[in-house]
Amino acid sequence: TALDPRIIKEIFLSFGPLAPVAYITFYTVRSLVLFPSGMLTMIGGLTFGPLWGTVYSVIGGGLNALVSFLIARLAGREAVESYISGSFADLDERIERNGFLTVLMIRLVPNAPYDVQNYGLGLTAVSFRDYTLATFIGIIPGAFAFVYLGHSISDLSSITNILIAVMIIMVLFLVQKRMRWQPRDD
């Protein structure tokens, strides 16, 4: 099928030394073509290994997040501002004041699909700077987990690596369930 990870790996590798550039470029526009981020991140591990797969996935995922954020900010923030009031306006102000930490916690403890986070945060008052820094830092653990899983799948004889990858992903989800953070009111 068209979404066979091995075929997609070969497509990226067909770019030779420019394979990382092709991967990062595709990752940057991924949400515009509705390609699943988790699958693409695992393909990064399958194609480039754990270290470079993580580096390229963080770069591509971060750039994708910035594109989505800017689309939402430019296309919808002004309209959202005119409609929010009361508790939503208070929440928007708290997100603006605590932007870096808010975005970092959302990234470290994912509670909504990645694309929903990107577009949704673009509609808030969080600064571009806070959003960018927190995004690039916060996506590292999840990117590594999915890249490692993708890399582990390349050698199905090593069940230990697959189990480690699955355990890393499970720990990330368990941390999500345990952590509760609210922006400060000060």
Side-chain angles (χ1 to χ4, degrees), residues 9 13 28 35 65 95 107 109 151 183:
K9 170 189 172 181
L13 291 177
T28 300
F35 195 92
I95 289 172
R107 296 304 189 194
V109 185
H151 174 70

Side-chain angles (χ1 to χ4, degrees), residues 105 108-109 172-181:
M105 294 305 294
L108 289 174
V109 185
L172 288 173
F173 283 112
L174 290 174
V175 167
Q176 170 196 358
K177 294 270 185 208
R178 303 293 287 163
M179 292 182 76
R180 298 287 182 252
W181 180 80

Side-chain angles (χ1 to χ4, degrees), residues 60-109:
L63 291 174
N64 173 263
L66 297 181
V67 168
S68 301
F69 176 89
L70 288 172
I71 288 170
R73 177 63 54 96
L74 297 173
R77 172 63 186 164
E78 192 173 302
V80 167
E81 274 183 312
S82 65
Y83 286 107
I84 60 173
S85 63
S87 60
F88 286 115
D90 293 341
L91 177 62
D92 194 45
E93 286 176 30
R94 289 188 301 179
I95 289 172
E96 182 178 23
R97 273 195 314 271
N98 301 290
F100 176 83
L101 196 53
T102 300
V103 175
L104 184 64
M105 294 305 294
I106 289 170
R107 296 304 189 194
L108 289 174
V109 185

Side-chain angles (χ1 to χ4, degrees), residues 97-167:
R97 273 195 314 271
N98 301 290
F100 176 83
L101 196 53
T102 300
V103 175
L104 184 64
M105 294 305 294
I106 289 170
R107 296 304 189 194
L108 289 174
V109 185
N111 50 18
Y114 190 65
D115 296 330
V116 172
Q117 292 176 8
N118 297 336
Y119 290 111
L121 286 164
L123 297 175
T124 70
V126 67
S127 75
F128 183 73
R129 185 186 123 261
D130 286 348
Y131 176 81
T132 301
L133 292 172
T135 292
F136 275 96
I137 293 168
I139 64 175
I140 292 171
F144 174 75
F146 280 92
V147 163
Y148 192 78
L149 179 61
H151 174 70
S152 299
I153 291 171
S154 67
D155 181 14
L156 291 177
S157 66
S158 177
I159 192 72
T160 304
N161 285 342
I162 294 171
L163 290 175
I164 289 170
V166 170
M167 286 175 45

